[in-house]
Amino acid sequence: EAGVAQSPRYKIIEKRQSVAFWCNPISGHATLYWYQQILGQGPKLLIQFQNNGVVDDSQLPKDRFSAERLKGVDSTLKIQPAKLEDSAVYLCASSLVLLAGGWGAKNIQYFGAGTRLSVL
Amino acid sequence: TQLLEQSPQFLSIQEGENLTVYCNSSSVFSSLQWYRQEPGEGPVLLVTVVTGGEVKKLKRLTFQFGDARKDSSLHITAAQPGDTGLYLCAGLAWDKIIFGKGTRLHILP
């Protein structure tokens, strides 16, 4: 079974530029998550989708970040314009069902390898 | 705001030693997960604990969920160099998942 695919693996941009990340979840996974992991910290959830609808985007800085999941499969995360503090690894994850809710063995999220963003 | 505190932040021990890392919160979670993350990779789920007081074993790793579902521990017996990595705990509430900052573990051969 193919895992969660993310691209690019690395991106270097200057502040105020725009950048986009792409994620292809595991086939059949209804739920998709974007996380930001700053060096030395744990992942911070930015947004979660259930199919093509947003479940939670309360921690997404909406003045500069946007995400979409058209057709309920692939997703893109965009930053426009980027700031120095956006330097981080952006992780995408997918799961069969929403994590909260106690679905037992289906309650697993699988992570991609991430995109490392450096903003200069 | 729910927070998960992990301790220690860093741990470097000799191969064969035992160790325990902790994950604490003032909030109650419906379940708690432990992940291991290696450089350049995403986190990989090790275990999910759901019931207060629950203990799960995964080979040399023992995970425990606190009775009040606010804290958890991970104990590794006879650590090996292959155990090296970043260990993250994550608390799941009804509609949230919150990660701790992780414990970076280094096992010296």
Side-chain angles (χ1 to χ4, degrees):
Chain A
E1 177 182 81
V4 176
Q6 288 190 249
S7 67
R9 286 300 309 270
Y10 307 93
K11 191 74 178 178
I12 302 173
I13 62 172
E14 295 187 349
K15 60 183 180 183
R16 291 187 289 273
Q17 285 187 325
S18 302
V19 65
F21 314 123
W22 175 81
C23 173
N24 182 231
I26 292 173
S27 178
H29 280 195
T31 312
L32 185 146
Y33 311 80
W34 282 103
Y35 290 86
Q36 179 193 59
Q37 187 173 22
I38 293 172
L39 186 64
Q41 298 191 15
K44 173 185 142 183
L45 181 65
L46 294 175
I47 189 169
Q48 53 178 326
F49 293 93
Q50 174 89 343
N51 297 310
N52 61 350
V54 176
V55 174
D56 180 16
D57 63 357
S58 58
Q59 298 194 90
L60 187 73
K62 299 180 187 64
D63 58 334
R64 297 183 301 106
F65 287 63
S66 64
E68 60 182 12
R69 193 184 183 197
L70 300 175
K71 301 181 182 178
V73 181
D74 293 6
S75 178
T76 55
L77 176 69
K78 297 179 181 177
I79 307 175
Q80 180 179 4
K83 292 185 176 182
L84 297 176
E85 58 261 36
D86 298 332
S87 294
V89 175
Y90 290 85
L91 295 162
C92 178
S94 70
S95 64
L96 272 172
V97 296
L98 274 175
L99 288 182
W103 291 88
K106 295 181 181 179
N107 202 341
I108 299 173
Q109 60 178 337
Y110 296 87
F111 283 85
T115 297
R116 183 175 296 277
L117 174 67
S118 296
V119 182
L120 307 178
Chain B
T1 304
Q2 294 172 306
L3 291 173
L4 275 175
E5 300 287 340
Q6 288 193 246
S7 62
Q9 276 189 286
F10 304 96
L11 185 58
S12 183
I13 64 171
Q14 292 289 335
E15 180 178 1
E17 293 184 355
N18 301 333
L19 67 105
T20 303
V21 298
Y22 300 92
C23 176
N24 295 294
S25 175
S26 58
S27 302
V28 176
F29 293 103
S30 60
S31 60
L32 193 138
Q33 298 181 323
W34 285 93
Y35 292 80
R36 191 173 97 180
Q37 185 176 22
E38 303 202 28
E41 301 294 330
V44 175
L45 180 67
L46 297 174
V47 77
T48 301
V49 284
V50 179
T51 306
E54 182 177 3
V55 176
K56 282 191 173 179
K57 292 192 175 183
L58 186 65
K59 296 182 181 178
R60 293 176 294 100
L61 278 61
T62 302
F63 305 85
Q64 184 162 9
F65 201 12
D67 291 341
R69 306 208 316 276
K70 293 182 179 182
D71 54 85
S72 181
S73 63
L74 158 59
H75 181 79
I76 301 179
T77 304
Q80 298 178 1
D83 296 328
T84 292
L86 177 67
Y87 288 81
L88 295 159
C89 67
L92 279 68
W94 171 243
D95 60 350
K96 299 274 185 221
I97 179 167
I98 299 166
F99 279 85
K101 292 185 177 182
T103 292
R104 191 163 296 280
L105 178 62
H106 186 54
I107 309 301
L108 304 167

